């Protein structure tokens, strides 16, 4: 379990850049033995207008994270590469039914409604109000106006009764400022309709690629398709038109209709702000795979950390899809401060133990993480990596500019200038990257009691919007890119590899870094993401490189 010590040093400096300060109990206040602190720390949003205590009746959706049991045994099983069924995971590592009932009963006793225990017992969700949350978690919650948006944030660390101390790790939903950022980036010009190769004179890439263009560029034409693999996309809001656009893209590119299921993980909303994102994710995961057995859209109500945690946990708890893509991210410090990092890492660990893989965008702000957008439209960031790409149980995907020969085959790639990456100051480098990932040059946060230095990204794929994807949005083609493209492309490749191995490859992380897999990747040695250059071998710009799919189908086992 992560420590909850004083907010100092490296963390304090980073918090200032992110516009946060630590709240807490008044100086000299005694800590009551009746309460135990969780990993949901206090936040005061200094680059926002504090409007005082949030109105008592403000509705909240709460997600309470419960601790995995026998964690050292699970870590050993993950290191061995054991693959478990969901019932096996629940029997060995999930909180007990008694523990889950105790948390659910406590929430009910505090007036929360719609209390629900996840099938894997790692998450208990409920609806309530600021007044109920303030009392139930012994905290205070303030109302802020942040960049024109009304948000709330707990200004004291969330606590639970001492009897639940060994069960509850974090309480999500007390802070609605913690939210994931989508990164779909439009090209300078949209492709023609109907699309063509539209090769630009003197430049070795078409204005946008269709799926077949990516097959040729990444040497996938002779590799197995993803026909035997079930995959997932993590989305948000009203995704009804996403399915319609997928059908348009499939027809335009003469692809099979993919069986698709939307899995709601929260109340339905009418939000369509991420439409181009979810269009790109669905069209270029299944498109890169040529086809898949089933596509699941895990659909949350918002991109807030509590709603996203429900998506990740449902993916692991369902254990239906062999892999998924999350084309969004936030500063890892924010995920750490509100406790979602701890909650989500548990879901990712379960998924990995079950042989599932989550791919996540490395980010589109170079060696920084997204904080906001300045008046000139340029992303404003802090020197930090994106989460969930920083999780050791996730495959982080960076970005390149893809250059092809006149016959459509691979020529070279350059690190995309905006591709995200760098060393984590909070997450541990996984064992399979030892001796391969760049040497650690970062000071670990004093808030964690484990070594840091997790390198992001692990791999890369095309992300430059000007060598990006021809995505159908509201029935019309758009040129779109970003690491929001590279992540679903990697998912599509992995679907092919899993299909070719009867879905028995397991979690991708160790497989990608195995010694025999080296020739399965193009080593990117050109370009710079600022401040990290692409270099021979693994680097913070493009990881170990991009897939040569035919080679990967043979070498990754």
């Amino acid at each position: 379990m992560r420590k909850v010590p004083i907010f100092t040093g490296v963390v304090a400096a980073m918090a200032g850049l992110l516009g946060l300060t630590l709240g807490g109990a008044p100086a000299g206040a005694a800590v009551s033995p009746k309460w135990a602190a969780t990993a949901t720390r206090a936040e005061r949003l200094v680059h926002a207008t504090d409007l005082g205590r949030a109105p008592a009746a403000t509705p909240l959706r709460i997600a309470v994270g419960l601790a995995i049991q026998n964690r050292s045994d699970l870590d050993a099983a993950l290191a061995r590469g054991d693959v478990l069924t969901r019932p096996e995971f629940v029997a060995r590592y999930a909180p007990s039914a008694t523990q889950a009932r105790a948390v659910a009963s406590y929430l009910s006793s505090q007036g929360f409604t719609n209390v629900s225990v996840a099938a894997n017992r790692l998450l208990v969700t409920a609806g309530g109000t600021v007044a109920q949350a303030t009392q139930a978690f012994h905290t205070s919650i303030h109302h802020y106006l942040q960049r024109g948006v009304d948000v709330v944030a707990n200004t004291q660390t969330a606590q639970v009764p001492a009897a639940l101390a060994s069960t509850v790790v974090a309480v999500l939903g007390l802070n609605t400022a913690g939210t994931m950022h989508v990164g779909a980036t439009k090209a300078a010009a949209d492709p023609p309709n109907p699309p063509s190769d539209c090769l630009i004179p003197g430049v070795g890439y078409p204005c946008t690629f269709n799926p077949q263009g990516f097959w040729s560029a990444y040497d996938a034409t002779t590799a197995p398709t993803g026909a035997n693999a079930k995959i997932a996309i993590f989305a948000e809001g009203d995704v009804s038109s996403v399915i319609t656009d997928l059908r348009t893209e499939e027809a335009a590119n003469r692809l099979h209709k993919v069986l698709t299921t939307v899995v709601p993980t929260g109340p339905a909303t009418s939000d369509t702000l991420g439409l181009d994102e979810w269009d790109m994710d669905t069209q270029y995961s299944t498109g890169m795979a040529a086809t898949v057995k089933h596509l699941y859209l895990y659909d949350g109500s918002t991109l807030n950390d509590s709603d996203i945690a429900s998506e990740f946990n449902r993916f692991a708890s369902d254990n239906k899809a062999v892999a998924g893509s999350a084309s969004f991210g936030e500063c890892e410090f924010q995920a750490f401060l509100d406790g979602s990092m701890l909650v989500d890492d548990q879901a990712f660990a379960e998924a990995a133990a079950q042989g599932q893989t989550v791919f996540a965008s490395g980010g589109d702000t170079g060696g920084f993480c997204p904080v906001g957008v300045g008046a000139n439209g340029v992303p404003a960031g802090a020197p930090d990596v994106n989460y969930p790409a920083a999780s050791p149980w996730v495959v982080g995907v960076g970005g390149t500019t893809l250059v092809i020969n006149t016959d459509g085959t691979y020529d070279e790639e350059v690190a995309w200038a905006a591709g995200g990456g760098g060393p984590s100051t909070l997450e541990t480098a996984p064992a399979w990257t030892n001796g391969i990932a760049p040497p650690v040059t970062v000071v670990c946060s004093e808030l964690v009691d484990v070594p840091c230095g997790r390198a992001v990204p692990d791999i890369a794929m095309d992300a430059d919007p000007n060598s990006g994807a021809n995505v159908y949005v509201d029935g019309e083609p758009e040129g779109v890119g970003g690491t929001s493209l590279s992540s679903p492309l990697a998912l599509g490749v992995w679907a092919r590899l899993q299909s070719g191995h009867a879905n028995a490859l397991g979690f991708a992380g160790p497989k990608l870094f195995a010694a025999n897999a080296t020739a399965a990747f193009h080593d990117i040695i050109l370009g710079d993401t600022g401040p990290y250059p692409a270099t021979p071998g693994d680097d913070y710009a493009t990881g170990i490189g991009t897939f040569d799919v035919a080679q990967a189908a043979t070498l990754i086992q």
Side-chain angles (χ1 to χ4, degrees):
M1 182 172 300
R2 300 185 188 277
K3 296 187 293 185
V4 191
I6 300 172
F7 195 67
T8 57
V10 173
V11 178
M14 181 61 66
L17 287 169
L18 299 183
L20 305 169
T21 60
L22 185 71
V31 177
S32 170
K34 297 180 180 180
W35 294 94
T38 71
T40 298
R41 292 162 174 81
E43 294 185 43
R44 295 187 186 276
L45 310 179
V46 297
H47 294 325
T49 302
D50 188 343
L51 302 176
R53 291 187 179 274
T58 303
L60 297 176
R61 286 197 300 275
I62 300 298
V64 179
L66 278 59
I68 282 178
Q69 307 299 296
N70 306 314
R71 185 56 196 254
S72 60
D73 182 58
L74 174 60
D75 290 342
L78 287 164
R80 293 191 301 268
D82 294 354
V83 177
L84 308 175
T85 64
R86 189 190 74 180
E88 288 173 334
F89 175 88
V90 171
R92 299 180 193 180
Y93 305 116
S96 69
T98 299
Q99 289 175 307
R101 281 196 300 269
V103 173
S105 295
Y106 176 68
L107 293 177
S108 296
S109 74
Q110 297 297 302
F112 288 90
T113 59
N114 298 319
V115 179
S116 178
V117 178
N120 61 1
R121 300 199 290 268
L122 289 180
L123 207 63
V124 180
T125 56
T129 65
V130 162
Q132 291 163 343
T134 298
Q135 176 175 302
F137 305 113
H138 203 54
T139 187
S140 65
I141 300 175
H142 277 217
H143 177 206
Y144 293 88
L145 185 64
Q146 184 183 52
R147 302 184 186 95
V149 178
D150 286 311
V151 298
V152 299
N154 56 297
T155 59
Q156 292 181 323
T157 297
Q159 300 179 63
V160 292
L164 299 178
S166 63
T167 300
V168 173
V169 294
V171 181
L172 310 184
L174 306 180
N175 180 334
T176 59
T179 186
M180 297 288 177
H181 298 259
V182 294
T185 306
K186 290 198 66 174
D190 285 336
N193 189 15
S196 67
D197 284 345
C198 59
L199 209 63
I200 301 171
V203 180
Y205 53 76
C207 54
T208 53
F209 288 91
N210 64 4
Q212 288 87 344
F214 282 124
W215 302 350
S216 177
Y218 283 119
D219 192 21
T221 55
T222 62
T225 72
N228 296 323
K230 299 177 182 179
I231 65 171
I233 294 297
F234 301 103
E236 169 268 339
D238 181 0
V239 296
S240 55
S241 66
V242 173
I243 310 302
T244 303
D245 284 333
L246 176 60
R247 299 299 173 232
T248 302
E249 184 268 340
E250 290 167 336
N253 293 296
R254 300 177 298 281
L255 298 173
H256 295 291
K257 287 185 178 180
V258 170
L259 179 62
T260 305
T261 300
V262 177
V263 183
T265 59
T269 68
S270 59
D271 182 18
T272 58
L273 290 178
L275 183 61
D276 55 349
E277 181 67 69
W278 322 133
D279 279 336
M280 180 162 60
D281 289 353
T282 54
Q283 293 170 31
Y284 280 84
S285 57
T286 62
M288 188 67 211
T291 188
V292 295
K293 188 173 184 178
H294 204 126
L295 171 67
Y296 297 94
L297 273 75
Y298 285 91
D299 185 28
S301 301
T302 71
L303 288 171
N304 289 345
D305 287 349
S306 56
D307 288 335
I308 294 300
S310 293
E311 290 190 23
F312 292 149
N313 194 70
R314 181 68 181 271
F315 168 80
S317 182
D318 282 352
N319 194 19
K320 292 179 179 179
V322 72
S325 174
S327 289
F328 44 68
E330 67 179 342
C331 301
E332 69 166 350
F333 268 90
Q334 175 59 56
F336 178 82
L337 288 172
D338 68 16
S340 59
M341 175 181 285
L342 182 52
V343 172
D344 293 344
D345 276 356
Q346 291 195 145
F348 296 143
E350 176 186 354
Q354 294 167 171
Q356 299 173 280
T357 303
V358 173
F359 295 88
S361 299
D364 298 347
T365 49
F368 301 84
C369 66
V371 174
V373 178
N376 60 358
V378 176
D384 190 20
V385 293
N386 266 24
Y387 186 86
S391 172
W393 305 112
V394 166
V395 175
V397 189
T400 67
T401 298
L402 175 60
V403 181
I404 58 173
N405 298 309
T406 54
D407 63 356
T409 57
Y410 185 87
D411 182 8
E412 67 179 6
E413 285 171 278
V414 178
W416 181 46
S424 168
T425 63
L426 293 162
E427 292 277 33
T428 306
W432 52 85
T433 65
N434 288 344
I436 301 173
V440 176
T441 57
V442 66
V443 178
C444 295
S445 164
E446 53 278 279
L447 287 185
V448 294
D449 54 4
V450 295
C452 70
R454 157 72 164 132
V456 181
D458 294 297
I459 59 174
M461 295 292 278
D462 182 37
D464 186 335
N466 296 312
S467 67
N470 179 35
V471 178
Y472 284 85
V473 181
D474 287 334
E476 296 295 325
E478 292 184 1
V480 188
T483 56
S484 292
L485 169 62
S486 56
S487 183
L489 286 176
L491 170 60
V493 173
W494 190 247
R496 286 176 177 265
L497 304 187
Q498 283 282 21
S499 287
H501 291 84
N503 294 311
L505 286 176
F507 174 56
K511 302 292 184 180
L512 302 179
F513 283 82
N516 64 306
T518 303
F521 295 93
H522 308 109
D523 186 8
I524 313 305
I525 61 174
L526 300 174
D528 190 301
T529 63
Y532 304 114
T535 61
D538 196 358
D539 55 58
Y540 293 130
T542 59
I544 56 176
T546 65
F547 282 109
D548 179 311
V549 182
Q551 291 283 357
T554 300
L555 297 174
I556 295 177
Q557 301 176 0

